[in-house]
Amino acid sequence: QVQLVESGGGSVEDGGSLRLSCATSGYTVGSGCMAWFRQRAGLKREAIAAIDTDGREINPIPSDSAKARFYISRDKSKNMLYLQMTNLHSDDTGTYYCAAALVDCSMGYPHGMDYWGDGTLVTIST
C-alpha cells in the first residue's frame, strides 16, 4: 500500500521560508513523476512543480511567481520529496499536497497522478 505523508507546514510571517517534506512508503522515489500541488481558499487545486524520473524539474505555469520562489527536490536514498519555498506571502496560504505517479511526468502530470498525501497546511501571516 502506497502512503505519502507531508510535513513541514505551519505558520510563518510574510517574506519567510518553509521546507515541506513528503515521506513515501510503498513507492520508490524516482520510479515515476512526483509533484507538489496546493489548494488555496476558494480556488481549485493547482499544480506547483514536479520532478521527473530523470530528475528534471517541471513547472506547468511558467508565468506563475511560484516558479521563481519554489524549488522541488528529492532524495532517492531516503525516499523523500521536498519543496523549498521562499519569500512567502499571504496568497501562498493553503494546503499543500504531495503526489506520485506510476508513469513519468509526460504522461502523469498534472492530471494523472496516482497517489496523494493528505496535505499539510501553510499559513502566511502579515
Side-chain angles (χ1 to χ4, degrees), residues 70-115:
F70 294 0
Y71 174 68
I72 189 171
S73 63
R74 69 187 185 190
D75 187 330
K76 294 170 66 176
S77 67
K78 296 181 179 178
N79 241 21
M80 296 285 294
L81 182 73
Y82 303 101
L83 184 68
Q84 180 69 49
M85 305 186 292
T86 62
N87 193 24
L88 289 162
H89 40 75
S90 58
D91 64 357
D92 292 315
T93 292
T95 300
Y96 285 69
Y97 299 90
C98 168
L102 296 173
V103 295
D104 66 28
C105 291
S106 67
M107 299 182 65
Y109 181 67
H111 302 296
M113 308 303 286
D114 297 289
Y115 306 107

Side-chain angles (χ1 to χ4, degrees), residues 7-84:
S7 62
S11 180
V12 295
E13 293 186 348
D14 189 80
S17 300
L18 278 175
R19 187 194 195 205
L20 305 183
S21 299
C22 175
T24 72
S25 61
Y27 180 89
T28 301
V29 170
S31 65
C33 185
M34 294 195 75
W36 288 96
F37 294 73
R38 69 180 178 186
Q39 186 161 20
R40 297 176 286 175
L43 299 176
K44 293 181 180 180
R45 186 169 61 193
E46 60 181 329
I48 299 174
I51 187 164
D52 214 338
T53 53
D54 60 3
R56 289 182 303 118
E57 181 180 354
I58 298 170
N59 187 295
I61 313 173
S63 61
D64 191 272
S65 66
K67 180 178 174 61
R69 299 182 294 116
F70 294 0
Y71 174 68
I72 189 171
S73 63
R74 69 187 185 190
D75 187 330
K76 294 170 66 176
S77 67
K78 296 181 179 178
N79 241 21
M80 296 285 294
L81 182 73
Y82 303 101
L83 184 68
Q84 180 69 49

